[in-house]
């Protein structure tokens, strides 16, 4: 019988149960492949009354996570509670107790990663978090190991499954945001409190983690300009489609000299761009580096077994270090604090839907107001005239957001303009 490494899981929700299932299902194959066994010894959760699709045997269940932290036979703990409250306390305590930690908690790593990695380093244990970004997609290891010889300049991703699912259904079924959200909640695709997903906070946390690793820059989540998808309407999706785009919530990190742009927002993506084909709850992350050129990784962004698979990969790697008697190798990759570029200085192309009085010369006035600030137009369509009010839809060429803001003040001041109904950034196709 080969050696066996015992692990404990703290939090038996979607990810915890996915990890348990995959290790149960493939345990023997994993043992043969890696040369030792990985066995779930204890699972801590505060609520064992709630039925999950797969329940672990009663003897594995405990109510107090500190039972796992103080167990000398368990060298690796997996945290799948989420959030930065009790999860932070437990992870700190476990690292201090000399346990290696594997977590899928993006908020924890985005906000406290540096502190926790420092403790892990001091204690000579691992802190791994592949499951925190992109669900099953092996992006953390790709950035830390496979691509580490590159100087990366761009990270671009669809990193939130809930919003991608909502936007995909809105486009396919011609539904409004609130209708799809309600249905997604009923089907379990969106949380009862969907704020973190629909307001872009989940994607923001993931972008902060990706840029810390990909660019080696410590970004605070507050450095990430963040806008969610709640204002996207059916009308915008239709106009975007007519102009050859789909709308996606993108997380964008781009080096700009010594500074870095970090922004999360709905974005018009050309239909022929690979990210446009990422549908439903799938995620994809696209990076560009000086050696690797373009690389895109694609896979399921959430779900029990997909995320469980990513977490299990980390667990096996941490177990390898335990078996080999190695010191944890996962050091903080942030070499410096990020110097974020203010959004006003970020160049974007922008889609605008403007409601105007339907009279001759309106288009000219708008083009002049934009042109006076140096904003030029890439495409224009005028649609849906009801005799009095018309909608003008246009996409600008690349220009700094600050310049566009000033131009839009001029547009709003025109007597023929009723309102700027929508403003959505568009991907730079250059
Ligand atoms: N709420 C996340 C999403 C789950 O929708 O992508 C995976 O992190």
């Amino acid at each position: 019988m080969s050696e066996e490494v015992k692990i404990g899981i703290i939090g038996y929700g979607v990810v915890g149960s996915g990890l348990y299932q995959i290790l149960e299902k493939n345990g023997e194959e994993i043992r043969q492949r890696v040369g030792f066994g990985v066995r779930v010894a204890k699972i801590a959760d505060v609520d064992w009354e709630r039925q999950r699709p797969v329940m672990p045997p009663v003897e594995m269940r405990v109510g107090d996570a500190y039972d796992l932290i103080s167990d000398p036979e368990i060298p690796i703990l997996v945290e799948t509670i989420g959030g930065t409250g009790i999860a932070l306390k437990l992870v700190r305590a476990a690292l201090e107790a000399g346990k290696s930690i594997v977590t899928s908690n993006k908020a924890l790593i985005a906000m406290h990663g540096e502190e926790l990695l420092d403790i892990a380093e001091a204690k000579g244990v691992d802190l791994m978090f592949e499951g925190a970004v992109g669900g099953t997609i092996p992006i953390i290891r790709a950035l830390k190991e496979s691509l580490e010889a590159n100087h990366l300049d761009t990270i671009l991703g669809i990193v939130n499954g809930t919003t991608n699912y909502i936007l995909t259904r809105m486009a396919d079924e011609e539904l409004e945001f609130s209708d799809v959200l309600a249905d997604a909640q009923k089907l379990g695709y969106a949380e009862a409190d969907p704020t973190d997903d629909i307001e872009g906070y989940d994607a923001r946390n993931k972008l902060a983690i990706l840029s810390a690793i990909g660019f080696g820059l410590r970004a605070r989540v507050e450095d990430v300009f963040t806008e969610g998808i709640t204002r996207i309407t059916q009308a915008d999706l239709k106009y975007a489609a007519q102009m050859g785009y789909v709308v996606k919530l993108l997380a964008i990190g781009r080096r700009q000299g010594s500074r870095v742009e970090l922004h999360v927002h709905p974005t018009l993506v050309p239909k022929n761009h690979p990210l446009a084909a990422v549908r439903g709850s799938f995620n994809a992350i696209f990076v560009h580096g000086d050696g690797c050129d373009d690389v895109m990784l694609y896979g399921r962004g959430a779900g029990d077994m997909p995320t469980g698979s990513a977490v299990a990969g980390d667990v096996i790697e941490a177990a390898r270090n335990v078996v080999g008697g190695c010191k944890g190798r996962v050091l903080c990759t942030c070499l410096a604090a990020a110097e974020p570029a203010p959004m006003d200085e970020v160049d974007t192309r922008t889609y605008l839907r403007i409601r105007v009085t339907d009279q001759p010369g309106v288009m000219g006035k708008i083009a002049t107001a934009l042109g006076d600030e140096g904003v030029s137009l890439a495409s224009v369509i005028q649609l849906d005239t009801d005799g009095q009010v018309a909608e003008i839809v246009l996409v600008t060429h690349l220009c700094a957001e600050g310049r566009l803001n000033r131009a839009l003040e001029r547009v709003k001041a025109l007597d023929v303009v009723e309102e700027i109904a929508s403003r959505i950034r568009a991907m730079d196709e250059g």
Side-chain angles (χ1 to χ4, degrees), residues 106-255:
K106 49 259 173 185
L108 182 77
I109 297 300
M111 295 176 203
H112 301 280
E114 191 186 14
E115 176 208 333
L116 297 174
L117 284 162
D118 283 350
I119 304 177
E121 187 189 355
K123 292 285 172 183
V125 293
D126 282 310
L127 170 58
M128 299 186 182
F129 45 88
E130 185 66 76
V133 183
T136 207
I137 302 174
I139 182 66
I140 303 294
R141 191 155 288 134
L143 292 176
K144 271 184 189 265
E145 297 177 10
S146 318
L147 299 173
E148 74 183 330
N150 286 267
H151 178 81
L152 297 183
D153 54 43
T154 307
I155 299 171
L156 202 62
I158 294 172
V159 290
N160 183 267
T162 305
T163 47
N164 204 50
Y165 172 86
I166 293 174
L167 290 170
T168 304
R169 280 197 60 196
M170 283 176 71
D172 286 356
E173 298 170 41
E174 301 189 3
L175 296 169
E176 288 297 349
F177 169 77
S178 49
D179 298 329
V180 181
L181 174 62
D183 202 42
Q185 285 173 307
K186 232 186 289 163
L187 294 168
Y189 279 93
E191 306 269 352
D193 178 359
T195 313
D196 275 2
D197 292 319
I198 62 176
E199 297 293 354
Y201 306 146
D202 174 81
R204 173 196 68 180
N205 289 337
K206 291 168 176 169
L207 180 61
I209 296 173
L210 291 176
S211 45
I213 299 169
F215 300 144
L217 296 171
R218 184 173 52 255
R220 296 172 313 150
V221 291
E222 307 86 68
D223 293 337
V224 181
F225 173 89
T226 307
E227 192 181 291
I229 65 163
T230 55
R231 290 199 297 267
I232 300 293
T233 65
Q234 189 48 229
D236 295 316
L237 295 186
K238 276 192 188 150
Y239 291 143
Q242 284 177 34
M243 298 168 101
Y245 298 98
V246 292
V247 177
K248 298 287 182 191
L249 183 76
L250 290 194
I252 302 171
R254 208 176 268 132
R255 284 189 200 267

Side-chain angles (χ1 to χ4, degrees), residues 207 224-225 250-254 261-265 343 346 348:
L207 180 61
V224 181
F225 173 89
L250 290 194
I252 302 171
R254 208 176 268 132
E261 295 174 16
L262 298 167
H263 32 118
V264 168
H265 44 70
M343 205 56 194
V346 169
T348 54

Side-chain angles (χ1 to χ4, degrees), residues 326-339:
C326 308
K327 191 174 174 313
R329 295 178 301 139
V330 187
L331 306 181
C332 183
T333 53
C334 301
L335 303 174
E339 192 191 330

Side-chain angles (χ1 to χ4, degrees), residues 8 14 17 30 42 48 80 113-114 126 134 185 193 208 234 288 305 307-308 315 360-361 364 384 389 398 402 413 426:
V14 173
S17 109
I30 293 168
K42 289 181 183 171
W48 286 112
T80 57
E114 191 186 14
D126 282 310
Q185 285 173 307
D193 178 359
Q234 189 48 229
H288 181 267
M305 292 289 271
T307 311
V315 165
D384 282 357
V389 175
L398 211 56

